[in-house]
Amino acid sequence: MSDFDLSQLMQQAQQMRERMEYLQKGLADQRVEGSAGGGMVKVEMTGTQQVLGVKIDPAVRDEDLEMLQDLIVAATNSAIEKSKALAQESLGSMLPPGMLPGGIPGL
């Protein structure tokens, strides 16, 4: 029967927690951009899915309001997907399969 070393397990868990915190801070500093309508609407977001800004091409302002709203939603969803992919790339190697997206609060 193998010996179970609780202190070693706790130390490994602490190291993993510290690594996760480091990677999450790094994601907060990284930027992604989603766009829609051929770039007429762009949404900039951090790797932790905080929206930083929305850019709307002046030519779109004269268009149908409903279309503009749809473009904003589409650009935001595009940025979210890119943010999730970035998080998966950064954190995925540390987590069991299927834990991302949505497995870590704030991501």
Side-chain angles (χ1 to χ4, degrees):
M1 182 177 243
S2 66
D3 292 327
F4 180 74
D5 187 350
L6 182 59
S7 65
Q8 183 180 4
L9 182 63
M10 294 299 288
Q11 183 180 17
Q12 289 174 344
Q14 175 67 23
Q15 289 172 348
M16 182 180 228
R17 186 180 67 78
E18 289 170 1
R19 177 110 170 101
M20 289 288 288
E21 287 174 2
Y22 172 78
L23 291 172
Q24 284 181 321
K25 287 178 186 174
L27 284 173
D29 293 335
Q30 294 186 47
R31 306 289 184 259
V32 296
E33 183 178 88
S35 66
M40 292 190 299
V41 175
K42 297 178 183 178
V43 173
E44 184 180 17
M45 181 177 287
T46 67
T48 55
Q49 298 180 354
Q50 181 176 16
V51 175
L52 300 172
V54 176
K55 295 179 183 173
I56 300 172
D57 186 311
V60 181
R61 289 190 314 224
D62 297 332
E63 296 294 327
D64 177 344
L65 179 60
E66 189 173 319
M67 182 190 82
L68 178 57
Q69 292 168 338
D70 289 344
L71 290 174
I72 292 170
V73 169
T76 302
N77 287 335
S78 173
I80 288 170
E81 289 305 313
K82 289 179 181 181
S83 177
K84 286 179 181 180
L86 183 64
Q88 182 69 49
E89 182 180 312
S90 296
L91 302 175
S93 62
M94 293 188 61
L95 301 172
M99 190 162 174
L100 281 178
I104 298 176
L107 295 181

